[in-house]
Amino acid sequence: MASRAKRAAAPAPLLIVGGYGVVGEHAARLIRQRHPDLPIVLAGRNPEQGKALAAEIGATTAVVDVRAERPLGALDEQPGAVLAVVSDPGDHLIVDAMRRGIPIADINRAGHAGILDVTVGVSRERPTTPVLLSGAFYAGLNALMAAAAVRELGQAEHVEIAVLSSSDDKVGPDSWGFAERLAWPYYGMREGKRQPTHPLTGRRLVRCADGNERPAALISTLEQTTVPLTLGVPTVETRIALQSVPSLYAMIGLKRSGALRALTRPALHGVRAALFQSSGTGDFCGLTVTAHNANRSVSIDLLDTRGQGHLSAMGAVRAAERVLARDLPAGISFPEQSAEPETDIEMLRQAGVVVRLTGFAKEFPPTPAPSATA
């Protein structure tokens, strides 16, 4: 009887779709560290690729094919929440989760078309559980740090975000989704008005998280769409800087020549894969978020020596924890709306990310005082 009661009290599992990819593996490991007793299922089209990781962290595997009309239908047990680390181009996974009443966090949905599609889907399905769209850069960390900076000021007039990346870093097969958006205009908020903006324009020098100044250019990211509305910031701009300055200028050249748009053609799949989906051996990455108002500015720097896969996993973990907690409202929300700056930054520091706060009234989480016996 006691064993049956214990089994009945066990929490429903977290299903990580794409849990053995570049970001998914980091996220799965971090979730296991933070939640030792949480059942975890690593899922995808080829779950045998995740068996070694599953055995290492005490998880199980399952087949979930996002191309199927009902991707969750073949599961033996309904999960307590879903973390989608892979793209869901047909919206099958997110709609299936809504219909089954399963909270879901999606970290790969960032383009305007994808957001519009899922918004229409939510209006049709009327979900009774949370749908967290955490597709801002680094799986929502841009938005979480923007929320921390804006909260410190009380009200911000301008948020500037500088992403530091490297062409030598490890990337997964979904990296083309971001690169594809570089070919088309997006609609950022400037002085409270939506304005069409071309990616890889607006080049200027920015201070990066490693302390160096580099040229950076505008890119299309989800927080530029949501943060102006969710946090009431009239202007939000996100730029990318590459550790290799010539690589940034090469991308700008491809944009100006029209080559980026041409590469979206199916016939050029091999060329674009070679350019944008080739993974390096790994490199450090960073993020700087600066918020301004009429009186002062504050900034947050994040520097991760383990690269963008690991830093993105930080955002994915926080997204998973938010939907697991079931304290989000039913329907769509975005990371910055449920930001917990002290908890978010503490998690980053515990995971080895270098965090620097500038202009804040106090350090948080507070640095522990030395013990009397030290």
Side-chain angles (χ1 to χ4, degrees), residues 85-107:
V85 188
V86 296
S87 60
D88 181 21
D91 295 333
H92 298 313
L93 178 62
I94 202 164
V95 168
D96 200 17
M98 283 191 283
R99 288 176 176 171
R100 296 174 188 273
I102 303 172
I104 182 169
D106 187 321
I107 72 164

Side-chain angles (χ1 to χ4, degrees), residues 49-277:
Q49 296 178 10
K51 285 187 176 179
L53 174 62
E56 181 183 343
I57 67 172
T60 59
T61 61
V63 176
V64 172
D65 187 348
V66 297
R67 299 171 300 181
E69 187 174 349
R70 293 179 175 83
L72 304 175
L75 294 175
D76 295 332
E77 178 184 6
Q78 178 160 304
V82 175
L83 173 62
V85 188
V86 296
S87 60
D88 181 21
D91 295 333
H92 298 313
L93 178 62
I94 202 164
V95 168
D96 200 17
M98 283 191 283
R99 288 176 176 171
R100 296 174 188 273
I102 303 172
I104 182 169
D106 187 321
I107 72 164
N108 257 330
R109 191 177 301 272
H112 284 83
I115 294 298
L116 176 60
D117 287 347
V118 77
T119 301
V120 173
V122 167
S123 70
R124 184 183 65 235
E125 301 299 335
R126 299 182 181 180
T128 58
T129 51
V131 179
L132 179 61
L133 301 182
S134 198
F137 217 92
Y138 294 133
L141 280 186
N142 279 15
L144 292 178
M145 296 304 103
V150 171
R151 186 174 301 181
E152 175 68 17
L153 289 181
Q155 181 66 42
E157 298 172 357
H158 188 184
V159 169
E160 297 177 278
I161 299 172
V163 173
L164 174 60
S165 188
S166 170
S167 55
D168 293 327
D169 209 345
K170 292 182 180 180
V171 297
D174 289 320
S175 60
W176 170 244
F178 165 70
E180 185 176 23
R181 295 200 306 275
L182 295 176
W184 310 100
Y186 65 98
Y187 293 86
M189 192 78 86
R190 306 289 183 268
E191 298 181 354
K193 297 180 180 179
R194 291 283 178 209
Q195 297 182 11
T197 304
H198 283 276
L200 298 176
T201 62
R203 177 175 55 86
R204 67 175 181 81
L205 286 177
V206 301
R207 181 186 61 79
C208 296
D210 63 350
N212 293 316
E213 281 197 340
R214 294 180 175 85
L218 291 165
I219 52 172
S220 170
T221 54
L222 181 59
E223 73 278 353
Q224 292 177 87
T225 298
T226 65
V227 165
L229 300 177
T230 55
L231 302 184
V233 182
T235 301
V236 179
E237 295 180 307
T238 300
R239 288 177 170 83
I240 190 168
L242 298 181
Q243 292 185 41
S244 168
V245 174
S247 295
L248 177 67
Y249 285 125
M251 288 175 62
I252 293 173
L254 287 172
K255 170 69 175 179
R256 289 177 175 173
S257 69
L260 279 181
R261 187 169 296 186
L263 285 170
T264 62
R265 299 171 184 168
L268 296 177
H269 171 81
V271 177
R272 68 174 181 254
L275 285 172
F276 297 105
Q277 292 178 248

Side-chain angles (χ1 to χ4, degrees), residues 274-290:
L275 285 172
F276 297 105
Q277 292 178 248
S278 57
S279 185
T281 57
D283 209 343
F284 71 88
C285 67
L287 172 66
T288 298
V289 177
T290 304

Side-chain angles (χ1 to χ4, degrees), residues 34 141 313-315 317-318 321 342-353:
R34 291 172 62 82
L141 280 186
M314 301 289 104
V317 170
R318 290 301 287 142
E321 290 177 338
E342 294 196 13
T343 302
D344 297 337
I345 288 175
E346 181 180 17
M347 181 204 68
L348 290 163
R349 285 181 165 147
Q350 288 176 346
V353 178

